Amino acid sequence: CLILYPLAVGLRAFAEGCAARVKNPMAVMTGQAVLLSVVAIVSFASLNLGAPGNLIGALAVTSGNVLAAGTVLMAIRWDRRGAIPVQPTAETPVVE
């Protein structure tokens, strides 16, 4: 099961590099939170389902890295939708 671990880490590193390129640190932090949450959830679920101990960690960190990478890429895409342009009002001074 650890054969896929380097690929999962590489995928997460690629996603975090993309987030750094577009200067989106919140996407990286979101990915870190998802990684920690998925590792905890998968570990507890695997333990309760009776998985062997040598597979619990491998399954947890591999799935955590893949889901964290997906979350980072989704956060980047979601942030790129663009802001809605807001016209200045009479009360708002225009700073140039």
Side-chain angles (χ1 to χ4, degrees):
C1 191
L2 279 177
I3 291 174
L4 298 177
Y5 180 67
L7 296 173
V9 172
L11 182 64
R12 185 172 64 100
F14 170 76
E16 289 180 358
C18 290
R21 193 179 93 229
V22 297
K23 295 180 170 77
N24 191 349
M26 277 315 281
V28 176
M29 295 304 295
T30 303
Q32 295 293 328
V34 167
L35 174 68
L36 182 63
S37 302
V38 169
V39 166
I41 291 169
V42 170
S43 297
F44 286 132
S46 298
L47 184 64
N48 286 330
L49 291 174
N54 60 341
L55 290 180
I56 292 175
L59 182 64
V61 295
T62 303
S63 60
N65 278 306
V66 170
L67 289 174
T71 303
V72 170
L73 292 174
M74 185 177 67
I76 293 170
R77 176 169 287 185
W78 189 24
D79 193 41
R80 280 193 185 174
R81 291 188 305 175
I84 299 171
V86 178
Q87 299 296 325
T89 60
E91 295 87 29
T92 307
V94 177
V95 179
E96 294 183 25

